[in-house]
């Protein structure tokens, strides 16, 4: 984590509610724990890997990608040393190709579909190859795209997450003027504030965003849009990509005790402060079993919790998280309690928590803990009403109920095309 001043006031900050005794890890250990989980390939390793690809026709890896990146084409360009061309193939269809290379659930998308799986071989390391190409253009500041000839049309975008910024990038390439409104002090949405630190760091997320802004996208941070109708009086079209709202409440006693917090707040604090400044209990309980719960429990463990345990009211087979995420948490030494329904969070009597009471098949039980992280899913953003209107377009998590970066990017790209068609009658430009 780099400088914290850019995060502004209230970036996941809160009063310390969990005592932070001597069990905390050293800064060096914390750096190691949050280092990239999938380190980049060397040039030689990338060439070797690229040459393993069969360059399939109707490649299933491409079909499996929501943005339909031409995987064999970009891998072929890596094999011939053309990293710029390779990155272009990727980023042309996925403006968030950098972050997707680090955080996409490739096990269930492109790599899961690779034909080599059918031969009981390891799939091609598509994500790492994608990272190899996209890192090259980011690090060498190669500008692959430019703004199109001005059309005189103005589009407002609400939310600077992957959906909004994907839409913004393509609209700029088509020549439209774009203003993005963002509530937070920094753009990027959950890429900047939410993705597990060992997958994607905020600095990388922000560098990727800057590349898009450099096309001449106007960004207004610290602005929360309250009325789409008002924007419609000033702009020719509006795209809404506001993501999801707060973590849902458990609705059990003790939920508001100090020492209880939601997963998004916990992760955001970790990503926007030096690691040692994020509170972690000695015995952490995470309620929920989705991918966010896994991110919370693994990061609590990596912050130095002696025990970090998922508590889930259903069975192991019912866990909504990806199987590989579950395996990661197990490898990190996290614990799992299934068929344990939270009933009450117990106060320690001195401003913290001492346990979570759960109902099990055998009756009632208390799981001792000094920190509880709630990760039972986010609700919709209800504050902003999105009118049904031919000039209003919606995409990303707020439209699909919560998916992945790549789905948000695909939505933004598709919306830009529809907006362009509406504004120009389909004239190609840029
Ligand atoms: C903890 C967590 C971990 C995740 N890990 C992964 C992962 O590893 N891999 C993966 O592919 N996906 C992951 N996801 C999902 C991924 O982050 C989202 O699918 C993606 O960010 C959705 O993009 P979006 O643009 O729709 O919304 P967001 O990224 O949420 O961006 C929406 C933006 O809109 C802004 N906004 C909201 N309301 C307003 C308003 N009224 N005015 C102005 N601005 C507003 C918000 O501040 C925010 O910046 C994760 C999600 C979570 C919660
Ligand atoms: S399916 Fe596998 S082998 Fe075939 S093109 Fe895709 S990555 Fe290469």
């Amino acid at each position: 984590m780099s400088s914290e001043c850019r995060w502004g006031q209230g970036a996941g900050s809160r009063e310390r509610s969990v005592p932070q005794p001597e069990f905390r890890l050293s800064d060096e250990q914390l750096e190691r724990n949050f280092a990239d989980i999938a380190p980049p390939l060397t040039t030689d390793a990338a060439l070797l890997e690229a040459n393993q690809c069969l360059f399939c026709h109707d490649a299933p890896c491409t079909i499996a990608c929501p943005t339909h990146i031409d995987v064999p084409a970009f891998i072929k360009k890596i094999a011939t040393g053309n990293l710029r061309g390779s990155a272009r193939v990727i980023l042309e269809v996925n403006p968030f190709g950098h972050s997707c290379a680090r955080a996409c659930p490739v096990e269930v998308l492109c790599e899961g579909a690779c034909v080599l799986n059918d031969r009981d071989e390891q799939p091609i390391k598509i994500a790492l190859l994608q990272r190899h190409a996209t890192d090259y253009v980011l690090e060498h500041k190669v500008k692959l795209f430019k703004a199109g000839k001005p059309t005189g049309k103005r589009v407002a975008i609400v939310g600077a997450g992957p959906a909004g910024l994907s839409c913004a990038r393509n609209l700029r390439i088509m020549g439209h003027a774009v203003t993005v409104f963002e509530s937070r002090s920094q753009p990027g949405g959950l890429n900047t504030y939410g993705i597990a630190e060992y997958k994607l760091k905020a600095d990388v997320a922000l560098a990727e965003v800057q590349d898009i802004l450099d096309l001449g996208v106007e960004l207004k941070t610290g602005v929360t849009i309250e009325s789409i109708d008002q924007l419609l009086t000033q702009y020719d079209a509006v795209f809404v990509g506001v993501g999801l709202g707060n973590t849902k409440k458990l609705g059990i006693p003790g939920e508001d005790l100090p020492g209880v917090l939601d997963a998004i707040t916990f992760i955001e604090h970790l990503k926007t402060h030096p690691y040692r400044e994020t509170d972690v209990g000695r015995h952490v309980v995470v309620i929920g079993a989705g991918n966010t719960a896994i991110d919370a429990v693994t990061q609590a463990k990596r912050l130095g919790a002696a025990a970090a345990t998922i508590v889930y009211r259903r069975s192991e087979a019912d866990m909504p998280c990806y199987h590989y995420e579950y395996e990661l948490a197990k490898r990190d030494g996290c614990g799992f309690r299934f068929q344990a329904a939270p009933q009450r969070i117990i106060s320690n009597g001195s401003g913290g928590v001492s346990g979570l009471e759960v109902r099990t098949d055998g009756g009632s039980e208390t799981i001792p803990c000094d920190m509880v992280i709630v990760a039972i899913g986010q609700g919709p953003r209800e504050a902003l009403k999105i009118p049904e209107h031919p000039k209003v377009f919606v995409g990303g998590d707020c439209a699909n109920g919560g998916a992945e970066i790549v789905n948000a990017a695909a939505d933004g790209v598709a919306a830009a095309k529809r907006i362009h068609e509406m504004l120009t009658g389909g004239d190609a430009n840029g």
Side-chain angles (χ1 to χ4, degrees):
M1 221 294 303
S2 59
S3 78
E4 58 184 317
C5 51
R6 67 168 178 234
W7 302 108
Q9 290 295 311
S13 57
R14 58 186 192 279
E15 285 178 22
R16 299 203 96 128
S17 53
V18 178
Q20 298 298 293
E22 65 291 346
F23 73 85
R24 295 307 303 262
L25 303 177
S26 67
D27 286 346
E28 294 72 26
Q29 184 63 52
L30 288 167
E31 287 294 335
R32 279 198 293 278
N33 286 358
F34 288 103
D36 279 6
I37 197 163
L41 296 172
T42 61
T43 301
D44 285 350
L47 281 173
L48 197 65
E49 187 66 20
N51 280 300
Q52 306 297 314
C53 178
L54 304 178
F55 306 112
C56 308
H57 281 290
D58 296 327
C61 49
T62 293
I63 295 166
C65 172
T67 57
H68 302 305
I69 291 174
D70 189 339
V71 176
F74 94 69
I75 293 181
K76 183 128 227 164
K77 289 191 188 317
I78 292 177
T80 57
N82 179 3
L83 293 185
R84 182 193 170 108
S86 176
R88 192 179 177 90
V89 171
I90 298 160
L91 296 170
E92 223 158 32
V93 293
N94 183 351
F96 279 79
H98 299 94
S99 45
C100 284
R102 288 169 166 80
C104 237
V106 287
E107 291 81 351
V108 295
L109 295 174
C110 55
E111 291 185 16
C114 176
V115 295
L116 296 186
N117 291 299
D118 301 335
R119 304 175 171 193
D120 286 335
E121 291 175 28
Q122 288 297 310
I124 297 297
K125 295 186 174 77
I126 300 171
L128 283 175
L129 288 172
Q130 180 166 323
R131 175 170 174 178
H132 188 67
T134 53
D135 274 3
Y136 172 83
V137 291
L138 207 59
E139 280 160 16
H140 291 81
K141 302 198 185 318
V142 178
K143 296 293 174 198
L144 293 172
F145 306 99
K146 59 180 177 39
K149 204 161 87 236
T151 61
K153 301 290 183 189
R154 301 170 70 228
V155 182
I157 294 195
V158 189
L165 289 172
S166 293
C167 186
R169 189 203 71 169
N170 280 16
L171 287 170
R172 282 301 295 141
I173 291 173
M174 293 162 182
H176 307 297
V178 178
T179 304
V180 179
F181 298 94
E182 169 55 51
S183 302
R184 314 297 303 259
S185 63
Q186 293 294 329
L190 286 167
N191 273 14
T192 304
Y193 290 99
I195 306 290
E197 179 72 357
Y198 47 79
K199 290 187 197 165
L200 177 66
K201 300 204 167 24
D203 284 349
V204 177
L206 289 171
E208 179 176 44
V209 168
Q210 191 57 48
D211 214 32
I212 293 174
L213 298 180
D214 286 348
L215 285 169
V217 173
E218 184 185 22
L219 173 68
K220 296 194 173 183
T221 53
V223 180
T224 298
I225 296 299
E226 289 170 358
S227 163
I228 303 289
D229 288 331
Q230 204 177 342
L231 287 179
L232 282 168
T233 64
Q234 298 161 45
Y235 293 88
D236 298 299
V238 178
F239 176 79
V240 184
V242 291
L244 292 174
N246 295 333
T247 301
K248 293 176 197 156
K249 300 291 268 182
L250 284 165
I252 61 173
E255 194 167 7
D256 297 323
L257 284 169
V260 182
L261 72 162
D262 72 89
I264 307 287
T265 306
F266 170 68
I267 295 168
E268 178 181 321
H269 193 280
L270 168 63
K271 287 180 71 73
T272 55
H273 294 75
Y275 300 137
R276 66 179 177 288
E277 288 185 13
T278 296
D279 290 354
V280 68
R282 194 167 176 77
H283 297 284
V284 178
V285 155
V286 176
I287 300 175
N291 293 317
T292 298
I294 297 283
D295 284 355
V297 80
T298 52
Q299 289 180 103
K301 196 76 176 68
R302 285 163 189 250
L303 271 175
T309 307
I310 289 264
V311 172
Y312 183 45
R313 65 196 162 120
R314 297 205 174 97
S315 71
E316 181 181 16
D318 294 321
M319 289 173 85
C321 64
Y322 293 127
H323 182 71
Y324 69 88
E325 295 277 17
Y326 178 33
E327 291 300 320
L328 169 69
K330 285 196 284 189
R331 277 202 306 280
D332 275 4
C334 301
F336 291 84
R337 287 293 313 269
F338 298 110
Q339 313 280 18
Q343 300 298 298
R344 180 169 71 103
I345 299 168
I346 302 163
S347 165
N348 65 4
S350 55
V353 301
S354 65
L356 172 70
E357 187 181 299
V358 293
R359 195 187 60 241
T360 66
D361 287 346
S364 186
E365 188 188 319
T366 297
I367 301 172
C369 59
D370 53 6
M371 183 178 192
V372 175
I373 300 176
V374 181
I376 56 168
Q378 295 166 262
R381 269 190 209 282
E382 278 158 355
L384 185 67
K385 298 284 168 252
I386 306 172
E388 291 265 346
H389 191 287
K391 292 186 173 178
V392 176
F393 300 77
V394 188
D397 276 5
C398 67
N400 61 30
E404 313 293 344
I405 303 166
V406 68
N407 303 97
D411 278 6
V413 165
K417 187 165 178 283
R418 291 202 308 278
I419 292 170
H420 178 68
E421 284 165 2
M422 182 197 74
L423 294 178
T424 64
D427 275 0
N429 184 13

